[in-house]
Amino acid sequence: MNKPKFKIIFDIFGVLISSGFKSSANDLSQVLDIPIPTIQKFYEKWEPDFDRGIITSKEFWKYIIRDLNIYFDEWYLLNNMVLDNYKLNHSSYELYKRYSKITEVYLLSNTRKEWFEILDKKFSITPHCEKAFLSYEIGLIK
């Protein structure tokens, strides 16, 4: 069966799966004992460089910790906390899978290489698309 000529583009974060910061904000605030808006300010400050592949996850957290002016040597705990809090958006994901069977489906998303590889394996995202355009691969964010 030939697929129709139209194409559909899906975002990943906030569409197919949850937004990492929103999903983990309460946990981060509790562990760091810092209000969510304060953490969010620095999280969002370093996100573009992380999404473009300029910095690693270790650097991302080290910069946030430095900007928060705290001592927290276990950056990887924060990293894992965010990764563990991502959730599949079942309705969007089912729609994505259904459309992938009848037409060309593409992904366009801001994402970090280290995190995306883990989340793709966990949620099986890329097997259903023709091509994924990921910010860390192209060095640009949308």
Side-chain angles (χ1 to χ4, degrees):
M1 176 176 140
N2 288 339
K3 291 186 177 184
K5 299 209 182 252
F6 66 92
K7 297 166 179 43
I8 299 175
I9 300 171
F10 280 86
D11 195 352
I12 299 170
F13 300 94
V15 178
L16 299 179
I17 60 177
S18 62
S19 167
F21 183 79
K22 288 179 186 174
S23 299
S24 60
N26 289 328
D27 290 346
L28 290 169
S29 178
Q30 188 174 21
V31 167
L32 297 173
D33 194 27
I34 294 175
I36 290 171
T38 303
I39 300 168
Q40 185 174 7
K41 174 183 169 184
F42 297 117
Y43 189 101
E44 290 176 352
K45 173 184 175 181
W46 293 105
E47 246 181 335
D49 286 349
F50 198 14
D51 285 343
R52 286 196 314 268
I54 295 171
I55 60 175
T56 66
S57 56
K58 181 177 182 178
E59 291 168 321
F60 175 70
W61 289 112
K62 292 285 188 178
Y63 294 155
I64 292 170
I65 291 165
R66 181 199 65 202
D67 288 352
L68 290 170
N69 198 27
I70 60 171
Y71 176 80
F72 194 88
D73 200 34
E74 295 85 18
W75 66 270
Y76 54 88
L77 296 176
L78 303 174
N79 197 66
N80 291 342
M81 184 181 304
V82 175
L83 286 169
D84 290 344
N85 273 293
Y86 277 103
K87 304 289 184 251
L88 192 64
N89 181 336
H90 292 283
S91 57
S92 294
Y93 185 74
E94 289 305 316
L95 186 66
Y96 165 67
K97 284 185 4 184
R98 186 174 336 135
Y99 276 116
S100 73
K101 294 175 184 172
I102 62 170
T103 194
E104 292 180 16
V105 174
Y106 296 85
L107 296 173
L108 174 66
S109 198
N110 294 339
T111 186
R112 305 87 200 227
K113 179 179 180 8
E114 298 156 274
W115 290 11
F116 183 73
E117 290 171 352
I118 292 167
L119 296 170
D120 189 24
K121 185 175 180 180
K122 179 178 179 180
F123 296 120
S124 187
I125 299 167
T126 56
H128 304 290
C129 74
E130 299 290 324
K131 171 99 174 106
F133 297 93
L134 306 173
S135 60
Y136 73 86
E137 291 179 332
I138 58 178
L140 300 169
I141 53 177
K142 55 184 171 70

